[in-house]
């Protein structure tokens, strides 16, 4: 699975961004997709995930501000991020858990990351 993330940038606190992640999935079956972030000096953390059945899960600090969605026709997952705070500054990584057709083991695949910088 190849993942291409985009949409990051510099935004003022209180602003919004929409991240996109396009997945090349030929030969794979996608289970869930999600967004993770890695702030300077911190470990990578889950931000939001969405299953193939559109069930979502969010990290507590982003609930009500971040919204994940997916368009299966485009193999794309989105992250709408609103009311941005300086502490949201991080590299945001797209993730996909998938298995090859005919196989049962699932693996995590990662995009290259897109930087979100929030100024106060």
């Amino acid at each position: 699975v190849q993942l291409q993330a985009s949409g990051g940038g510099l935004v003022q606190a209180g602003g919004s961004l929409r991240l996109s992640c396009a997945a090349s999935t030929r030969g794979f079956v996608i289970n869930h997709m999600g967004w993770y972030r890695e702030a300077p000096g911190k470990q990578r953390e889950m931000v939001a995930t969405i299953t193939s059945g559109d069930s979502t899960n969010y990290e507590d600090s982003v609930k009500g501000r971040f919204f994940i969605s997916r368009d299966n026709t485009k193999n794309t997952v989105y992250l709408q991020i609103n009311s941005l705070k300086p502490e949201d500054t991080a590299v945001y990584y797209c993730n996909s858990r998938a298995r090859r057709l005919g196989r049962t083991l699932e693996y995590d695949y990662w995009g290259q990351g897109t930087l979100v910088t929030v100024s106060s």
Side-chain angles (χ1 to χ4, degrees):
V1 178
Q2 293 184 329
L3 302 170
Q4 183 68 43
S6 61
L10 174 64
V11 64
Q12 287 188 331
S16 298
L17 283 173
R18 189 193 196 204
L19 308 184
S20 299
C21 176
S24 298
T25 62
R26 181 174 295 180
F28 289 87
V29 177
I30 303 297
N31 182 353
H32 69 253
M33 298 187 72
W35 290 93
Y36 290 67
R37 66 185 179 186
E38 192 170 317
K42 295 186 177 181
Q43 289 187 331
R44 190 173 298 188
E45 65 176 356
M46 185 276 292
V47 175
T49 61
I50 184 167
T51 69
S52 56
D54 286 340
S55 294
T56 58
N57 186 39
Y58 295 94
E59 193 271 328
D60 285 345
S61 70
V62 308
K63 287 180 180 177
R65 299 189 298 123
F66 289 19
F67 300 93
I68 190 170
S69 61
R70 63 193 289 175
D71 184 339
N72 291 327
T73 65
K74 297 180 180 180
N75 289 325
T76 300
V77 63
Y78 304 97
L79 185 68
Q80 179 66 40
I81 47 181
N82 302 322
S83 302
L84 278 160
K85 304 175 181 180
E87 52 264 42
D88 294 319
T89 294
V91 177
Y92 285 70
Y93 294 92
C94 178
N95 165 268
S96 174
R97 177 157 293 180
R99 62 177 173 82
R100 289 188 179 273
L101 283 170
R103 304 289 181 89
T104 57
L105 283 178
E106 294 182 333
Y107 296 92
D108 282 319
Y109 297 87
W110 297 92
Q112 84 284 7
T114 184
L115 177 63
V116 173
T117 303
V118 184
S119 62
S120 58

